[in-house]
Structure formats: C-alpha cells, structure tokens
C-alpha cells in the first residue's frame, strides 16, 4: 500500500534544507555532520526563528506559521517564487484526509476536436502527466504523446525514452518537478500515491528526484527529440492551462520560421495527412 503523506509541509522543509551547502553560508565543516545540508538550528538562525519553533514546523506539531515566518524561511531556503508559493500552499492546506479518488480525467470534446484539427503538434496533458488528447503530428514527433500513456511513468520505466530525449536527466528532473507543482497540496490523491508508489518501487532515480521536493511550473521553452523520421529536432513549446479543468495543460509546438526544425515539422504534418488519407 502506498505511503500516505501526513506532514507535507515538514517533508518539504526537510528536503529543501538538505539541499543547501553549509559552505555557501560560511558554516564550518566540523566533521560531525551526520546528514546533508544545514542543521535545523542553522536554518532557524538564518530565518530568524527559534530552533524549537522551527523543529515543531518540520515535525508537524505546528501547522500554522505566519506569513512573515514563511517568507523568512523561504528566503533562508533560497526558494524561487514558484517554490515559495508552493511552501505557502502547503502551510495553508488542511490536514490530509482519506477520500475516494477523483474521476478519471477527460478532455472536453470541443477541445479534443480543436487539437485534432491543428496542423502543428498539440497535446493535452493531465495533472499527473497522463496524455489525454493529441493530434497525429504530436504522436509522430514523440510517440510518448499517444493518448493513454503516462509521461512520468514512461520517462522512468520505458528504456526507449532515454533514446527519445537527448538530455534525459533534464527531462527526468523537469517532469518530477512539474508533477509536484501540479499536485500542489493534494498529495493524498489515490491516483498520485499509486503512481508515486509504483515508480518508487521500480526506479531509484525517481526516488531520488521525488525526495528533493523540487517544484517547477512549465510555461514555455524548448524541447529536443531524437525522431526516427526527421532526426534530432529542437522545437519551441507554449503551455496553456485548460480553463475549468484543474491541472490539465495544453502544449503546442512550433519552430522558428525558415529553420530546419520548421521544415521537419512540416514533413511530420505531411506524413500525418497522408496517414489520414489511407
């Protein structure tokens, strides 16, 4: 049975504290450090709170830190704004509760038709990286975009994905951090705990990355793929939250006008049209 997280705020604080290098803060290495990162009392000092109070936060015996305390801790942990916002949500979340799982995610029919009709690759991804809808150019660009697959599971459990992504380590870090960002404080969702439990049992790399508590929201950028039809291709993407569907994201891929990547995308679109005509 997957482990039920009952102190997400404390786990986040401990994980992020463990990533800090004492040397960066001018703290001596006296050879007595038994765990990585800063000690609790060191982090408390940097945040300007008492060690006893900070220990209570990590242990879960105090779940109501003030906004001022949260901001001080966020600065001491060197969190960026996305991670700091995640910290605030964890502190404001009610205690976890047992509940039945969510209904299976579905894409609205109108959005699915829109995605299918676009000439450029487009895909709708669910809150836990399930592929909910994709058009043929997207599936030709990356077979992982086939509806019904889960990108998080594929990255860590499907050996073929290591050939698809030229920078697999960056992809692995990014997909884990994006799942944490999308999940927010809802870490007791049975769908998530089941997925995390499966990957934790089968992948040491996933366990290590999940324990870091990295949080990252994807808004846009570039992605590179090794494609059997067009070779290595680097494309740009934009991500758009699907209004009214918590955690669903629409990704649309494009390329610079006149670039080799644009020609490759045009070829994939042509092959997609030929496939539809058969």
């Amino acid at each position: 049975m997957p482990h039920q997280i009952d102190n997400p705020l404390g786990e986040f604080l401990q994980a992020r504290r463990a990533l800090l290098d004492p040397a960066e803060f001018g703290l001596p290495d006296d050879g007595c450090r038994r765990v990585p990162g800063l000690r609790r009392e060191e982090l408390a000092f940097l945040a300007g709170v008492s060690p006893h109070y900070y220990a209570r936060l990590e242990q879960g015996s105090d779940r109501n830190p003030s906004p001022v305390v949260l901001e001080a801790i966020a600065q001491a942990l060197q969190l960026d704004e996305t991670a700091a916002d995640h910290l605030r949500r964890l502190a404001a979340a009610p205690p976890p509760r047992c509940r039945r799982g969510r209904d299976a995610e579905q894409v609205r029919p109108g959005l699915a038709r829109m995605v299918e009709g676009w000439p450029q690759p487009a895909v709708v991804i669910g809150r836990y990286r399930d592929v909910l809808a994709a058009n043929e150019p997207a599936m030709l660009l990356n077979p992982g975009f086939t509806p019904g697959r889960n990108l998080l599971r594929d990255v860590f459990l499907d050996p073929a994905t290591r050939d698809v992504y030229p920078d697999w380590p960056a992809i692995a870090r990014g997909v884990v951090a994006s799942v944490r960002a999308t999940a927010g404080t809802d870490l007791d969702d049975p769908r998530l705990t089941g997925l995390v439990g499966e990957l934790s049992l089968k992948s040491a790399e996933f366990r290590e990355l999940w324990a870091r508590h990295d949080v990252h929201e994807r808004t846009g950028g570039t992605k590179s793929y090794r494609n059997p039809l067009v070779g290595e291709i680097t494309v740009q993407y934009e991500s758009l939250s699907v209004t009214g569907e918590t955690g669903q994201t629409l990704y649309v891929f494009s390329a610079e006008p006149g670039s080799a990547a644009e020609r490759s995308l045009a070829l994939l679109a042509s092959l997609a049209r030929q496939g539809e005509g058969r």
Side-chain angles (χ1 to χ4, degrees):
M1 177 179 294
H3 172 62
Q4 296 295 316
I5 301 171
D6 59 2
N7 182 21
L9 174 60
E11 291 193 1
F12 180 77
L13 292 174
Q14 292 177 49
R16 302 310 299 181
R17 175 167 58 84
L19 297 176
L20 298 177
D21 182 359
E24 293 184 4
F25 298 87
L27 298 172
D29 184 359
D30 54 12
C32 298
R33 293 183 179 273
R34 294 175 296 176
V35 294
L38 298 186
R39 299 186 177 104
R40 280 180 180 170
E41 58 270 22
E42 293 169 339
L43 196 287
F45 174 78
L46 292 172
V49 299
S50 75
H52 176 70
Y53 176 72
Y54 180 78
R56 287 172 57 83
L57 286 178
E58 283 202 0
Q59 293 165 355
S61 54
D62 191 314
R63 298 176 182 266
N64 297 289
S66 70
V68 173
V69 167
L70 284 177
E71 293 308 311
I73 291 175
Q75 290 186 25
L77 290 172
Q78 300 182 338
L79 303 182
D80 61 20
E81 186 53 36
T82 299
D85 187 56
H86 183 71
L87 172 63
R88 298 181 198 108
R89 293 198 302 270
L90 289 175
R97 64 204 182 281
C98 294
R99 57 170 172 73
R100 67 185 184 89
R102 298 171 179 268
D103 294 333
E105 289 185 276
Q106 295 183 342
V107 174
R108 293 195 299 269
L111 177 58
R113 289 193 297 271
M114 185 184 301
V115 167
E116 291 172 3
W118 276 339
Q120 64 265 55
V123 58
V124 179
I125 306 297
R127 59 190 289 115
Y128 303 132
R129 314 309 289 171
D130 293 303
V131 180
L132 304 178
N135 59 13
E136 190 66 25
M139 289 184 277
L140 289 176
L141 176 65
N142 176 11
F145 288 150
T146 302
R149 295 180 67 162
N150 178 274
L151 294 176
L152 183 64
R153 181 183 289 112
D154 280 356
V155 165
F156 290 98
L157 300 186
D158 183 356
T161 63
R162 296 177 186 261
D163 296 325
V164 171
Y165 299 110
D167 191 358
W168 182 91
I171 292 295
R173 292 192 301 271
V175 70
V176 171
S178 68
V179 166
R180 277 208 177 271
T182 304
T185 62
D186 197 14
L187 297 177
D188 63 332
D189 185 332
R191 166 66 175 141
L192 178 62
T193 56
L195 185 60
V196 169
E198 176 191 7
L199 293 172
S200 295
L201 286 173
K202 297 178 180 179
S203 171
E205 291 162 311
F206 173 81
R207 289 196 301 273
E208 179 179 345
L209 290 173
W210 188 253
R212 288 174 56 92
H213 286 249
D214 289 331
V215 181
H216 177 67
E217 293 181 348
R218 296 172 181 270
T219 56
T222 61
K223 280 286 181 66
S224 296
Y225 301 98
R226 292 192 185 100
N227 186 279
L229 300 173
V230 298
E232 188 164 323
I233 176 174
T234 298
V235 293
Q236 299 171 335
Y237 72 90
E238 292 293 332
S239 65
L240 304 169
S241 297
V242 178
T243 303
E245 301 293 344
T246 303
Q248 287 189 16
T249 306
L250 168 66
Y251 292 87
V252 183
F253 298 85
S254 63
E256 287 287 344
S259 66
E262 184 187 46
R263 293 189 291 274
S264 294
L265 287 183
L267 176 58
L268 294 179
S270 175
L271 293 173
R273 290 192 296 271
Q274 294 174 22
E276 293 172 355
R278 289 198 295 268

